[in-house]
Amino acid sequence: MASLRDSMPATAQAIDELREVFGAELVNAQIRQALKGRPAIYAEEMVNGKLVTFGVKPQAMKEFPASFLECKAANAETKKGRK
């Protein structure tokens, strides 16, 4: 079985970014809760035309107002301008 990082590369990248912002301890705790079947974190990603999911989807889930990766790209551009 492939690792989650291999199965969901964009999600893994987003999780890494969350760890940088919120700290690995908090993010890893949420992942552990999801692995126990609790609706702590949920992700879905299209990989090679197949929907891959992780975690338990909450009953009422709101979408991000903008793509996380788009926000990340904008943040990277802002950081470049500060150097």
Side-chain angles (χ1 to χ4, degrees):
M1 182 175 152
S3 74
L4 221 48
R5 186 166 290 280
D6 293 335
S7 301
M8 300 176 77
T11 299
Q13 181 181 356
I15 294 293
D16 290 342
E17 292 287 328
L18 290 171
R19 286 183 177 121
E20 286 181 27
V21 174
F22 297 106
E25 186 176 330
L26 176 67
V27 175
N28 292 344
Q30 293 300 102
I31 292 171
R32 284 191 296 277
Q33 292 300 310
L35 290 169
K36 292 177 183 177
R38 298 183 182 124
I41 190 168
Y42 177 77
E44 41 182 61
E45 181 176 340
M46 290 297 290
V47 179
N48 298 324
K50 180 180 176 187
L51 182 65
V52 181
T53 63
F54 172 77
V56 177
K57 189 171 188 177
Q59 294 292 346
M61 187 171 151
K62 294 182 180 179
E63 298 294 325
F64 285 114
S67 164
F68 179 79
L69 295 177
E70 288 174 8
C71 292
K72 178 187 163 213
N75 189 31
E77 288 299 315
T78 301
K79 286 181 182 178
K80 279 185 196 176
R82 291 184 198 161
K83 291 182 180 179

